[in-house]
Amino acid sequence: MSVAPLSPEQLQALADWLARQAGAATVRLENVRRLSGGAISVNLSMDLIIDGGPLTGCQPVVFRAGSPSGVSASLSKAQEAAVLRAAFDAGVTAPEPLFVDGEGALLGSPFYIMRRAGGMAAGHRLVKAPPSPALAHDLGQQLGRLHRLRPGAPGLDFLPLPAADLIDECLTAYRGWLGEMAGLDPALAYGLRWLDRRRPAVGDLVLSHRDYRTGNYLVEGGKLTAIIDWEFAGWSDAMEDIGWFCAACWRFGRRDQEAGGIGDRADFYAGYEAAAGRPVDHQAVRWWEVMAHLRWAAIAVQQAMRHVSGAEPSLELALTGRMLPEIAYDMLREIDQMEAAA
């Protein structure tokens, strides 16, 4: 399907399908509009007016489908919905998935529909608010709840376990994502070598969001309403998610607020430790922050290639590729700080 809103014929087909899924007499789709953001997925806000069945009434939802081209390691929409269900059932503040079409026969692309939460996700706007110890603590708690889920958790058998050496697997994957840039760009080549030489011990595998950052949660009235964008979820070291959240590249200019640009690292860590029942390995987190910059650089290269290849012409994707020097600078700065403290 295209990145444009659904056609009238597709909307009617979706309404008829939803009526069958919901056990309703009829379903009407109202207030359908494209949501901002979502470089990897197509997100539409809509209201389901359901007549009959257990969900009768007005249900505010988000329709989420895949883009024509994607990014390596992103989950299918059916898999993403299954991870969202596991997180929701574990008590994480995440939208509840309601309907899933994993085959894509109806609209030409797999999709799922989840409850819509209120609030704002834009990172560059969220960091302009005064620092919030309560929000940083809550976000740490949510991550701690998620990390209670371990391999073998019901409904997540489709998630592959990492290879025997998780870090080897990560570095190999990111080299592949970077392509020739892994050898041609001196900053990225140095980062890859440094990460390989300074690798920490890998901790217990947990269900990781793998894109847990400011910009991927909603805030309304200063309070967290939902954690969103689960397409990269998988089994990993718990410290990876913490490092990703605290990495300088996701503070949106608020370098003084080390927890996602919205609060203090100590508050985030305290919330995490209280919910997860495990201590934060401070040194390992800093290593994963360097890895976060390398991974973000690799994703930026892939996003740019979606535009350059002609598969999905997009100013947003092109501009993401232009961020590579800034990402590399932040990575080298983190490495210098760790070397100075060693």
Side-chain angles (χ1 to χ4, degrees):
M1 62 182 296
S2 71
V3 296
L6 301 177
S7 69
E9 293 77 16
Q10 288 175 313
L11 289 173
Q12 187 58 57
L14 178 59
D16 294 341
W17 180 84
L18 286 170
R20 296 191 295 272
Q21 297 297 309
T26 62
V27 172
R28 298 196 321 274
L29 310 183
E30 296 186 355
N31 303 317
V32 180
R33 62 184 179 86
R34 179 83 181 266
L35 292 174
S36 61
I40 296 173
S41 298
V42 177
N43 299 309
L44 301 177
S45 172
M46 59 182 68
D47 295 329
L48 307 184
I49 310 303
I50 301 177
D51 179 15
L55 294 175
T56 191
C58 178
Q59 303 293 340
V61 301
V62 170
F63 168 98
R64 189 165 165 85
S67 294
S69 60
V71 169
S72 300
S74 60
L75 299 175
S76 73
K77 291 305 156 195
Q79 292 171 336
E80 189 178 324
V83 169
L84 192 58
R85 167 56 65 185
F88 179 83
D89 290 346
V92 177
T93 302
E96 181 184 10
L98 297 175
F99 306 103
V100 182
D101 175 14
E103 299 301 321
L106 182 69
L107 300 176
S109 178
F111 66 85
Y112 70 92
I113 292 174
M114 61 185 176
R115 292 193 187 276
R116 187 171 77 237
M120 178 180 65
H124 67 282
R125 295 176 61 187
L126 288 174
V127 300
K128 292 180 180 178
S132 175
L135 179 58
H137 191 274
D138 191 11
L139 284 161
Q141 282 190 317
Q142 300 302 321
L143 190 59
R145 289 173 188 162
L146 179 67
H147 285 181
R148 290 176 180 170
L149 294 171
R150 303 291 188 88
L156 298 177
D157 292 344
F158 61 88
L159 290 176
L161 289 171
D165 192 314
L166 170 66
I167 291 174
D168 272 348
E169 183 174 274
C170 289
L171 291 175
T172 298
Y174 304 157
R175 283 191 187 95
W177 296 5
L178 287 166
E180 63 179 10
M181 294 291 290
L184 294 178
D185 187 292
L188 297 178
Y190 176 73
L192 282 163
R193 287 196 303 272
W194 185 91
L195 286 162
D196 190 25
R197 292 171 52 215
R198 296 288 193 272
R199 58 176 65 197
V202 174
D204 294 334
L205 293 178
V206 299
L207 181 59
S208 300
H209 185 283
R210 305 202 79 198
D211 200 9
Y212 196 82
R213 61 174 178 84
T214 299
N216 281 344
Y217 56 82
L218 295 167
V219 175
E220 188 170 54
K223 294 184 178 180
L224 179 70
T225 59
I227 297 160
I228 57 176
D229 290 351
W230 294 78
E231 61 259 65
F232 287 129
W235 306 117
S236 188
D237 186 322
M239 300 303 110
E240 180 184 12
D241 271 346
I242 299 175
W244 187 259
F245 187 85
C246 293
C249 55
W250 297 124
R251 298 178 200 164
F252 295 90
R254 288 299 304 270
R255 294 185 179 274
D256 58 319
Q257 302 300 317
E258 294 189 346
I262 53 90
D264 189 85
R265 190 187 292 262
D267 293 314
F268 180 69
Y269 284 6
Y272 179 83
E273 291 179 340
R278 70 165 58 82
V280 172
D281 183 333
H282 293 227
Q283 192 69 11
V285 167
R286 300 309 291 254
W287 183 91
W288 281 106
E289 286 180 51
V290 177
M291 179 71 101
H293 290 95
L294 182 74
R295 179 170 173 244
W296 176 215
I299 292 172
V301 168
Q302 285 205 318
Q303 299 285 55
M305 289 308 301
R306 288 166 63 190
H307 168 77
V308 171
S309 68
E312 196 172 343
S314 163
L315 179 61
E316 180 183 2
L317 296 177
L319 291 175
T320 299
R322 296 276 292 181
M323 295 174 64
L324 193 58
E326 179 182 351
I327 299 168
Y329 171 79
D330 282 335
M331 179 185 68
L332 295 176
R333 188 170 176 270
E334 290 285 341
I335 290 174
D336 282 348
Q337 290 177 354
M338 288 191 70
E339 289 292 325

